[in-house]
Amino acid sequence: MDRIAKLKHQEEVLQFSEFPNEEAWKLGCYMRDRAEKKEFRLASASV
């Protein structure tokens, strides 16, 4: 499976039935903590 096909497949199957604000906050904090530990830069935007 080529990369584009794999990404399209993942986009189809990796769907949340719900994604409440609390879970989004936890995920964002986790990502920030991991990025800081590895000295990665992380950008975010809120809509």
Side-chain angles (χ1 to χ4, degrees):
M1 184 180 298
D2 70 2
R3 282 186 170 179
I4 299 298
K6 184 176 180 178
L7 290 171
K8 286 181 179 181
H9 174 72
Q10 288 175 347
E11 185 177 11
E12 290 175 12
V13 298
L14 299 175
Q15 297 288 320
F16 296 105
S17 59
E18 60 181 52
F19 193 58
N21 289 340
E22 183 178 327
E23 294 303 314
W25 183 263
K26 288 179 189 177
L27 178 59
C29 290
Y30 173 79
M31 291 170 61
R32 183 204 60 221
D33 292 345
R34 294 282 303 200
E36 285 180 354
K37 286 179 184 174
K38 294 182 178 260
E39 298 183 0
F40 292 152
R41 294 183 179 176
L42 186 66
S44 66
S46 58
V47 179

